[in-house]
């Protein structure tokens, strides 16, 4: 029966029944003339999610990591300089990918628990008077540390320095759970995936690409074939795909978009904010600390929580799974053993979050953590009671 429990990992996330049903379908011929009626509206509607009018949507059958590779190889050439800050496992892996692609990566090392350093980007960009830096790479929501970065501030730093570099943003764990504004922030490539805020299985990288980034494909010489933007845009324009599309995922994505638009994007973001705040209230009632250093960095899709000195967060996560059949996120990279993570994004309600908090509390108590059983749950309950749109009127 534990297969019925929700997961509290920050991706892949819980898949609503409605989306599972939408994906349960017979194969359809992707070369048939009416495939365009399936794909084109999905690509068009994805623009609303990225809040872009002029960007072009590009999808690949791959996980989010393939989206990074596509962004880099389509627009840059070996030896090109890129500027990126390392503040968690995902920004680290993106740096690693750029280095393996032969780029000249200028890394700003930041403490894990902090976010994209707009002020330090501003200094480096201002000093780069020859405009050798071709792209600035930002991880919007660092899933390893639960840190959310201000992309608008990075854009302002770039504009302030009068620097023409492109801005690439990883929004894999923020899209469809926290506000994302491609056009307003002047993002050149936004990279996301299907298995987080979009509530689907893994298997589709979803990118939004600006005209400037699309123009950069002409000079870029990084080798690419499967991930070539031009093959994809040409095939999409003709109503198809350059190879076999993940058909069931496209149907699931149609339904995911319908669900997000029916709820209303602002309501989706408000729901994530409220769920996350309940978790934060619990963390503080336990007397534990978030990895994210300050409130403006708090992520609404995942919380990374330090375990007390002398405890091993991986053992806690293992115990929660073995004893109660509920998954939480382990600590990654520098945070291995030090933090556990509660993913609170995607198809989730306050009631579901309470079950996760109750479970991790039991697991902590089992392992003799210095916490009071029920304290975190009670704090979250109080917060959810007070902030439920319907609770007060229903009680009246
Ligand atoms: C999940 C995630 C990715 C992509 O991981 P895949 O497993 O390749 O889908 C990239 N960046 C961030 C911030 C993520 O959370």
């Amino acid at each position: 029966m534990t297969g019925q429990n929700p997961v509290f990992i920050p991706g892949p996330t819980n898949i609503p029944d409605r989306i599972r049903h939408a994906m349960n379908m017979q194969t359809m011929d992707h070369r048939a003339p009416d495939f365009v009626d399936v794909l084109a509206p999905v690509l068009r509607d994805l623009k609303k999610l990225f809040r872009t009018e002029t960007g072009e949507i590009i999808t690949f059958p791959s996980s989010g990591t393939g989206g990074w590779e596509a962004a880099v190889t389509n627009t840059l050439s070996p030896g090109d300089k890129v500027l990126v800050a390392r503040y968690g496992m995902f920004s680290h892996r993106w740096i690693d990918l750029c280095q393996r692609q032969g780029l000249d990566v200028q890394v700003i090392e930041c403490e894990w628990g902090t976010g994209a350093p707009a002020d330090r980007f501003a200094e480096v960009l201002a000093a780069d008077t020859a405009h050798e830096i071709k792209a600035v790479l930002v991880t919007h929501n660092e899933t390893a540390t639960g840190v959310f970065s201000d992309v608008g501030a990075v854009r302002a730093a770039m504009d302030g320095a009068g620097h023409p570099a492109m801005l690439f943003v990883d929004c894999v764990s923020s899209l469809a759970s926290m506000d994302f504004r491609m056009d307003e922030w002047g993002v050149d490539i936004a990279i996301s995936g299907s298995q987080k805020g979009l509530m689907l299985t893994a298997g589709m990288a979803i990118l939004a690409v600006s005209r400037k980034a699309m123009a950069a494909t002409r000079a870029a010489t990084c080798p690419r074939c499967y991930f070539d933007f031009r093959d994809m845009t040409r095939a999409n324009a003709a109503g198809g795909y350059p190879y076999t599309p993940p058909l069931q995922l496209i149907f699931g994505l149609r339904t995911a978009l319908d669900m997000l638009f029916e709820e209303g994007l602002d309501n989706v973001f408000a729901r994530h904010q409220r769920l996350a705040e309940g978790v934060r209230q619990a963390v503080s009632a336990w007397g534990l600390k978030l990895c994210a250093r300050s409130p403006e960095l708090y992520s609404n899709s995942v919380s990374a929580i330090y375990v007390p000195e002398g405890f091993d967060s991986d053992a806690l996560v293992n115990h929660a799974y073995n004893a109660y059949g509920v998954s939480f996120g382990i600590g990654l990279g520098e945070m291995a053993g030090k933090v556990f993570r509660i993913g609170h994004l995607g198809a989730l309600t306050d009631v579901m979050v309470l079950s996760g908090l109750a479970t991790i509390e039991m697991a902590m108590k089992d392992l003799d953590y210095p916490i009071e059983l029920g304290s975190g749950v009670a704090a979250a309950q109080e917060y959810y009671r007070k902030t439920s749109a319907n609770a007060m009127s229903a009680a009246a």
Side-chain angles (χ1 to χ4, degrees):
M1 281 304 282
T2 55
Q4 291 292 320
N5 290 335
V7 295
F8 294 95
I9 49 176
T13 62
N14 302 291
I15 307 177
D17 289 346
R18 193 169 151 197
I19 292 181
R20 289 210 296 246
H21 291 149
M23 290 193 290
N24 181 1
M25 54 168 299
Q26 175 59 293
T27 287
M28 170 185 167
D29 175 10
H30 62 281
R31 307 215 186 271
D34 52 356
F35 178 67
V36 65
D37 301 332
V38 174
L39 182 64
V42 168
L43 298 180
R44 202 164 50 234
D45 283 349
L46 277 168
K47 290 188 184 192
K48 297 182 202 157
L49 207 53
F50 287 95
R51 296 205 203 257
T52 183
E53 303 268 333
T54 54
E56 187 155 359
I57 302 295
I58 298 195
T59 59
F60 291 111
S62 97
S63 78
T65 303
W68 283 340
E69 182 149 335
V72 165
T73 57
N74 275 281
T75 57
L76 299 167
S77 305
D80 274 357
K81 198 168 203 174
V82 298
L83 176 63
V84 51
R86 176 166 22 226
Y87 41 85
M89 197 60 190
F90 290 89
S91 39
H92 165 74
R93 285 180 48 207
W94 205 3
I95 290 167
D96 176 48
L97 183 142
C98 290
Q99 287 169 336
R100 292 202 230 175
Q101 287 294 340
L103 302 179
D104 175 4
V105 188
Q106 182 166 353
V107 180
I108 298 180
E109 299 290 349
C110 300
E111 271 187 77
W112 289 32
T114 64
D119 48 344
R120 291 169 71 189
F121 282 151
E123 284 166 28
V124 173
L125 292 168
D128 179 34
T129 49
H131 294 166
E132 283 178 355
I133 295 168
K134 298 294 178 228
V136 178
L137 279 50
V138 174
T139 299
H140 189 207
N141 188 68
E142 178 47 84
T143 318
T145 56
V147 164
F148 176 71
S149 286
D150 185 348
V151 176
V154 174
R155 167 45 68 195
M158 295 173 72
D159 290 349
H163 202 290
M166 293 180 285
L167 174 59
F168 297 170
V169 179
D170 169 334
C171 57
V172 181
S173 63
S174 55
L175 191 78
S177 51
M178 288 176 279
D179 202 3
F180 190 84
R181 298 175 176 267
M182 170 150 181
D183 287 359
E184 190 179 315
W185 299 337
V187 174
D188 290 295
I189 304 187
I191 301 135
S192 197
S194 50
Q195 80 274 24
K196 299 196 179 171
L198 283 165
M199 309 173 282
L200 292 157
T201 53
M204 196 190 281
I206 303 169
L207 297 90
V209 182
S210 75
R211 286 182 183 151
K212 182 172 164 183
M214 207 58 91
T217 60
R218 287 197 289 273
T221 61
C222 279
R224 59 199 185 270
C225 169
Y226 184 80
F227 285 124
D228 200 312
F229 283 175
R230 294 161 303 180
D231 293 342
M232 186 56 75
T233 53
R234 219 177 287 129
N236 286 172
Y241 227 68
Y243 30 69
T244 315
L247 189 74
Q248 282 72 10
L249 257 173
I250 294 172
F251 274 82
L253 184 51
R254 170 72 272 157
T255 301
L257 289 167
D258 290 345
M259 289 175 70
L260 291 166
F261 296 147
E262 283 163 21
E263 185 175 354
L265 286 185
D266 289 338
N267 296 328
V268 170
F269 303 146
R271 172 166 56 83
H272 281 85
Q273 201 282 332
R274 179 169 172 270
L275 296 179
E277 187 52 35
V279 170
R280 293 190 282 259
Q281 299 278 331
V283 170
S284 127
W286 291 327
L288 299 181
K289 286 214 157 24
L290 290 169
C291 182
R293 290 296 169 80
S294 51
E296 78 279 5
L297 297 172
Y298 292 169
S299 163
N300 286 338
S301 63
V302 55
S303 295
I305 301 150
Y306 281 114
V307 295
E309 201 73 40
F311 290 84
D312 173 7
S313 64
D314 290 356
L316 175 66
V317 169
N318 278 335
H319 178 71
Y321 187 78
N322 292 331
Y324 305 110
V326 178
S327 290
F328 296 87
I330 56 167
L332 300 175
E334 271 185 29
M335 291 298 143
K338 295 184 187 161
V339 304
F340 67 96
R341 293 174 301 145
I342 301 181
H344 33 76
L345 76 165
L348 222 53
T349 65
D350 45 10
V351 170
M352 292 161 86
V353 170
L354 287 171
S355 76
L357 295 174
T359 305
I360 200 72
E361 254 182 16
M362 290 193 286
M364 287 194 282
K365 199 73 199 166
D366 293 344
L367 298 179
D368 295 324
Y369 277 57
I371 60 137
E372 192 184 328
L373 197 65
S375 59
V377 171
Q381 284 172 319
E382 281 301 344
Y383 179 76
Y384 291 148
R385 257 166 35 82
K386 284 195 209 112
T387 54
S388 162
N390 303 320
M392 296 308 160
S393 54

